[in-house]
Amino acid sequence: MNPTQQRIVEICLQVIEMTHDEIGLNDEFRSFAHIDSLKSLDLMTALEREFKLKLPEAELREFETIGKVIAVVERYLPEMVAA
């Protein structure tokens, strides 16, 4: 996992208030009752601030797992596009 991906994981865990031990990269957020659409929006906002980008709200549908969040953010990061 590269530093950018690791930072995305850290932000996800912070926003959803969970630890690595409680949720894995491929565990669906919906499996956890306290993770709802507002939490997903909070997550999107935190990622936009951290990486100085704008994610389309339609991408919220993809925020199902931490792994999918990583994939969404990487699609919009300029350095990932150039790679």
Side-chain angles (χ1 to χ4, degrees), residues 4 51 53 73-74 76-83:
T4 299
F51 295 105
L53 51 86
V73 173
E74 286 183 335
Y76 292 92
L77 285 174
E79 65 268 19
M80 296 296 178
V81 172

Side-chain angles (χ1 to χ4, degrees), residues 14-66:
Q14 180 180 16
V15 171
I16 65 175
E17 300 173 354
M18 298 187 85
T19 66
H20 287 286
D21 295 334
E22 296 172 309
I23 188 169
L25 290 178
N26 298 311
D27 292 334
E28 289 196 21
F29 293 155
R30 291 186 196 103
S31 304
F32 302 92
H34 67 283
I35 300 173
D36 57 16
S37 58
L38 289 177
K39 213 44 120 163
S40 294
L41 192 57
D42 289 345
L43 177 55
M44 178 179 273
T45 301
L47 292 164
E48 288 176 335
R49 277 192 203 123
E50 175 72 19
F51 295 105
K52 296 173 181 41
L53 51 86
K54 180 64 179 154
L55 299 171
E57 283 191 34
E59 293 289 3
L60 278 174
R61 289 183 302 227
E62 295 295 317
F63 280 31
E64 296 173 345
T65 67
I66 293 174

